[in-house]
Amino acid sequence: MAIDSAHYIGREQALVKHTFLDRYLPALIGKVCSRYDEFVYVDGFAGPWQSAAGESFDDTSFGIALTHMTAQRLLYLSKGRNIRMRAFLVEKDPSSFAQLERAIARFPKIEIIPLNGLMEAHAARIASCIPQSAFSFTLIDPKGFPDIGAMLPLLKREHAEALVNFMFDFANRFAGTDLIPALEDWLSALGSVGWRQEVEGLSGSERERKLERLAAEALQITGAYSFSPVITVDKVLHNRPLYKLIFLSRHAEGLKVFRDSEAKALDTQATARSASKAKKRAESSPIGDLFADGEDAVPNDRSSQVIRQSRQDAIRALGAQIMTAGSSGMVWGNLWPPILEDFSVTRSWLGHQVNDMRKAGRILAPGWPSERKQIPEDSQRLILAQAVSPT
């Protein structure tokens, strides 16, 4: 499906999130359907908030998910595989729940179970209804802070991935004050309360990184995930984060799909924020805008800066890892996952950098199959040229 940015005027942050889901979900479901016989989508806060797409609900998380689930189910039916597709959609507000019940009639190919009430009250029962052999994706996207402990039955499922919204703007203001118990419980999930003193002494980007890692690691460790990378969704007109989308996966392939989808989402964010800031400035002072210094240009947006910095850091990390391995080198399949975990780069982009370094003679790649090969196979061994002693 195509995301229509016209439906997101005044809620550009949702456009970033939905761009990610629109890219990530079909890739995930396609991979899942090749290995599993059932895919389950769980949306814990599914109400069609502020939808501007009418009865299609194409600008809602559940609408995007159900559209892709329908398309993938029909695709696999055409290949002779009857993949079971189910969705559990939870909404606490009665009026929004009534809208939700009407909306799901548009998706007859999917088994949809709408549930009215708090996600915390339904999570364990939903988890018990999902067979161990099924693969699930859970979206936890509240306006505040959920009871993470109540979500663990879903997050701890063996065959699962998840996306959790951490409301950073509120966390930055209230963490350590005990004013939001659910936030305190989340950040203390690993059993330590020493973080309060650490956070209190930090400010700016250091405080942001600390809170982000506290929130992500609490989910990663308690849910036994291998990876917990984060997308930062910024305020539209200010260079500050609004919330963090924490992605949880146990597989390197899931990390690859995440970074591919994140790249599209960050590009969308840079474009939307730059346009909104330029429009705001033009409305305030049309003449002054003639002398703008380019601060609203897409390349200057925080998302664009993140990508540029990540690429520089990823190249350094790549070289450092191969250098540490010495003359024996490392296989590509062990190299790229930790780099993608730490930096906003795609596996494809990083693989092309490896090939460029190989061509330049900086990296040795014994058995590289052909010059037509652009990205290494996971089994490809890579050795830093200077680590090999001349004979």
Side-chain angles (χ1 to χ4, degrees), residues 263-320:
K264 179 64 174 177
L266 291 182
D267 181 65
T268 296
Q269 174 160 258
T271 301
R273 275 174 29 93
S274 297
S276 296
K277 289 160 74 174
K279 180 181 178 182
K280 179 70 173 179
R281 187 172 58 190
E283 291 172 348
S284 302
S285 179
I287 295 178
D289 195 58
L290 295 175
F291 305 97
D293 61 5
E295 66 178 15
D296 295 336
V298 170
N300 296 330
D301 186 75
R302 273 177 32 115
S303 293
S304 301
Q305 294 175 26
V306 164
I307 293 174
R308 283 199 300 274
Q309 187 63 53
S310 287
R311 288 180 172 182
Q312 295 172 19
D313 293 340
I315 290 295
R316 283 194 289 268
L318 176 67

Side-chain angles (χ1 to χ4, degrees), residues 55-78:
E55 290 302 311
S56 71
F57 295 100
D58 288 340
D59 60 344
T60 64
S61 298
F62 74 83
I64 293 168
L66 296 177
T67 296
H68 286 306
M69 290 169 72
T70 298
Q72 291 292 329
R73 183 164 193 272
L74 292 175
L75 174 63
Y76 275 88
L77 277 173
S78 70

Side-chain angles (χ1 to χ4, degrees), residues 118-125 127 140 146-155:
L118 294 173
M119 176 59 173
E120 288 85 345
H122 288 294
R125 185 162 68 91
I140 301 175
D147 178 356
I148 290 299
M151 308 297 174
L152 289 180
L154 282 166
L155 296 180

Side-chain angles (χ1 to χ4, degrees), residues 216-288:
E217 288 174 2
L219 299 177
Q220 179 181 348
I221 294 172
T222 56
Y225 289 91
S226 302
F227 307 105
S228 60
V230 175
I231 299 176
T232 297
V233 180
D234 288 326
K235 296 184 176 183
V236 177
L237 298 176
H238 304 282
N239 291 327
R240 296 194 300 273
L242 179 63
Y243 56 77
K244 307 276 186 173
L245 296 174
I246 303 170
F247 175 72
L248 302 169
S249 178
R250 298 184 178 90
H251 305 284
E253 190 63 27
L255 180 61
K256 173 195 172 297
V257 174
F258 167 81
R259 288 302 186 197
D260 288 342
S261 306
E262 178 203 33
K264 179 64 174 177
L266 291 182
D267 181 65
T268 296
Q269 174 160 258
T271 301
R273 275 174 29 93
S274 297
S276 296
K277 289 160 74 174
K279 180 181 178 182
K280 179 70 173 179
R281 187 172 58 190
E283 291 172 348
S284 302
S285 179
I287 295 178

Side-chain angles (χ1 to χ4, degrees), residues 82-275:
N82 186 9
I83 307 296
R84 186 182 188 188
M85 296 275 187
R86 286 196 292 164
F88 292 87
L89 307 179
V90 183
E91 174 52 41
K92 68 176 182 179
D93 180 75
S95 61
S96 294
F97 182 73
Q99 279 185 284
L100 185 64
E101 287 187 301
R102 291 194 297 272
I104 61 179
R106 296 186 61 253
F107 303 95
K109 301 295 183 182
I110 310 299
E111 299 176 48
I112 305 173
I113 301 93
L115 299 167
N116 191 204
L118 294 173
M119 176 59 173
E120 288 85 345
H122 288 294
R125 185 162 68 91
I126 293 172
S128 69
C129 293
I130 303 175
Q132 186 177 359
S133 59
F135 194 98
S136 65
F137 172 75
T138 298
L139 176 64
I140 301 175
D141 185 24
K143 288 185 176 179
F145 296 96
D147 178 356
I148 290 299
M151 308 297 174
L152 289 180
L154 282 166
L155 296 180
K156 284 187 172 182
R157 293 197 68 255
E158 181 181 0
H159 306 299
E161 289 184 346
L163 190 70
V164 184
N165 187 332
F166 177 64
M167 295 296 293
F168 175 82
D169 191 38
F170 290 121
N172 192 38
R173 283 186 277 170
F174 298 111
T177 66
D178 291 323
L179 293 175
I180 306 180
L183 169 62
E184 302 296 312
D185 290 344
W186 184 341
L187 299 180
S188 303
L190 298 180
S192 171
V193 295
W195 63 266
R196 292 189 175 95
Q197 288 71 36
E198 295 180 41
V199 167
E200 186 178 353
L202 299 176
S203 61
S205 59
E206 288 186 343
R207 181 179 172 90
E208 178 182 346
R209 285 193 296 269
K210 180 64 177 179
L211 287 171
E212 174 185 306
R213 291 323 306 164
L214 280 170
E217 288 174 2
L219 299 177
Q220 179 181 348
I221 294 172
T222 56
Y225 289 91
S226 302
F227 307 105
S228 60
V230 175
I231 299 176
T232 297
V233 180
D234 288 326
K235 296 184 176 183
V236 177
L237 298 176
H238 304 282
N239 291 327
R240 296 194 300 273
L242 179 63
Y243 56 77
K244 307 276 186 173
L245 296 174
I246 303 170
F247 175 72
L248 302 169
S249 178
R250 298 184 178 90
H251 305 284
E253 190 63 27
L255 180 61
K256 173 195 172 297
V257 174
F258 167 81
R259 288 302 186 197
D260 288 342
S261 306
E262 178 203 33
K264 179 64 174 177
L266 291 182
D267 181 65
T268 296
Q269 174 160 258
T271 301
R273 275 174 29 93
S274 297

